[in-house]
Amino acid sequence: MRNGEVSATRDRERGVSDGAAVEVTGLTVTYGSTTVLDGVGLRVPVGAVVALTGENGVGKSTLLRCVTGLQAPSGGVVTVFGAAPDQGAGFWRQVATTVESPTWYHGLTVREHLELVRVANGGDPADGRVDEVSGLLGITGLADSLPITLSSGQRQRFLLAATFVRPSRLLVLDEPEQRLDVGAKRALAGHLRDYLATGGTLLMASHDEQFWRDVGADEVVLSRPEG
């Protein structure tokens, strides 16, 4: 599917809500004389999963940044659960994202970071969620490591873990499968399916067709603005 048209038929088959978790209307983003997104529309119903695809440079990450309020659009309207993404505490209690990496504290270990993220977002660091997510992503053995010592693949797993330990209703993920091996991708896809089964909503950008199909996503293809 193109231009943000998510299949209503498939949503009904899944029992997805008619309410919109994400609604984007006429979204335009320009940098100087360069237009990255031009009048893009997108609607992601509550409980749905959408994968943004397309070649590099078509604005997938930019769209995700606008949805999470990390970037102001040049034109158009973006709402998340019916309100503008305002960057307030209430917004971040509903939305978790990998679009922008958090600031890591040099003196804290991987485990300490995950516990801090959990408690800072209203969770209980001792409720087993940190252990569950660490096991899922294969980073249990890195609990006492400092983030600066991690390889790129380990950092990707750590970033995902820090996202998943936060309570959320909407996940906004930018190529979550990158730098993961086949087994880790399979485990991640399973976790995301479980998240959706419990009522969560997922919007992601992906270059890996097998991965987003394993998650069960509807595809929205972005292309470069004409002219």
Side-chain angles (χ1 to χ4, degrees), residues 93 115-123:
R93 291 289 172 88
E115 291 178 345
L116 178 61
V117 170
R118 181 79 175 151
V119 72
N121 289 277

Side-chain angles (χ1 to χ4, degrees), residues 27-95:
L27 179 64
T28 299
V29 176
T30 59
Y31 299 107
S33 61
T34 301
T35 299
V36 179
L37 297 172
D38 186 12
V40 171
L42 175 69
R43 187 177 188 275
V44 183
V46 173
V49 49
V50 170
L52 304 177
T53 68
E55 63 186 43
N56 288 332
V58 297
K60 298 186 296 297
S61 296
T62 300
L63 194 158
L64 296 183
R65 288 180 61 81
C66 290
V67 167
T68 53
L70 295 169
Q71 177 167 332
S74 305
V77 177
V78 177
T79 60
V80 176
F81 298 116
D86 62 7
Q87 294 290 293
F91 177 78
W92 291 119
R93 291 289 172 88
Q94 300 186 84
V95 180

